[in-house]
Amino acid sequence: MFTKWKGEFTVSVFTEIINGNLPAHAIWRDEQCVAFLSINPISNGHCLVVPIEEIDHWVDLQPEVAGHLLEIALTIGRSQMRAFKPQRIGQMIAGFEVPHTHLHVLPINTMEDLDFRKAKSTVNHDQLSDYANLIRENIDTDKSNHIVESFLIQ
């Protein structure tokens, strides 16, 4: 699918990640969505839950897909609680940076931890890899068949 972005039709960067054309610190993949770490994290373990179908605005999602995204965000959030032990797990949908619906799921300790102005512009990919491993290791075992380390088709 193509999205009109700044007057041009193109696939989103998330579609490129989902298709295995760009690298990501992958955590989850099922028939409807994927989850991977943000490369501009606000907090350690900041994850994005993204539908495979490229839909720009979350209010245009089918209700079943929206519900599934929230269910996976809950799975990721519970894992983040065990892995990082924050006071809360924050979740938000903004959608301004990439024209492809995505839920931000991130460990937080205060409301200020939800401020996008605090997002890192550079990251240590070894550290992100460690965070991804921590999240994968803490996902409930009954859901482990959807845990992935890559979106590349094997």
Side-chain angles (χ1 to χ4, degrees):
M1 176 170 187
F2 295 93
T3 299
K4 191 169 187 178
W5 181 248
K6 297 188 179 180
E8 304 215 2
F9 287 97
T10 183
V11 297
S12 78
V13 67
F14 293 160
T15 296
E16 292 288 358
I17 289 169
I18 291 165
N19 291 340
N21 297 324
L22 291 174
H25 296 279
I27 295 170
W28 180 276
R29 185 181 190 118
D30 63 30
E31 312 76 39
Q32 295 185 60
C33 72
V34 299
F36 51 89
L37 290 183
S38 173
I39 60 166
N40 299 114
I42 298 173
S43 66
N44 296 339
H46 179 169
C47 197
L48 304 176
V49 178
V50 183
I52 291 172
E53 183 180 5
E54 193 171 310
I55 304 290
D56 180 9
H57 197 280
W58 74 272
V59 300
D60 296 326
L61 293 170
Q62 292 298 313
E64 304 78 35
V65 174
H68 183 73
L69 294 177
L70 193 55
E71 178 184 346
I72 302 313
L74 182 62
T75 296
I76 298 296
R78 286 177 175 160
S79 175
Q80 290 168 322
M81 281 297 290
R82 289 188 284 270
F84 300 101
K85 302 188 182 353
Q87 289 185 18
R88 302 265 180 194
I89 297 297
Q91 190 272 317
M92 64 181 141
I93 304 170
F96 290 104
E97 20 350 279
V98 177
H100 189 149
T101 297
H102 53 289
L103 284 66
H104 294 265
V105 184
L106 58 158
I108 62 172
N109 291 305
T110 69
M111 284 296 292
E112 288 77 33
D113 292 341
L114 293 172
D115 186 346
F116 278 106
R117 292 173 293 188
K118 293 184 177 185
K120 295 177 179 93
S121 58
T122 59
V123 293
N124 177 322
H125 285 279
D126 290 335
Q127 191 173 50
L128 287 184
S129 181
D130 290 343
Y131 295 154
N133 284 331
L134 271 174
I135 294 168
R136 284 188 217 104
E137 290 167 4
N138 282 282
I139 289 177
D140 294 328
T141 55
D142 65 327
K143 299 177 193 261
S144 64
N145 58 322
H146 294 294
I147 296 171
V148 295
E149 293 184 22
S150 170
F151 297 131
L152 294 175
I153 305 301
Q154 303 298 331

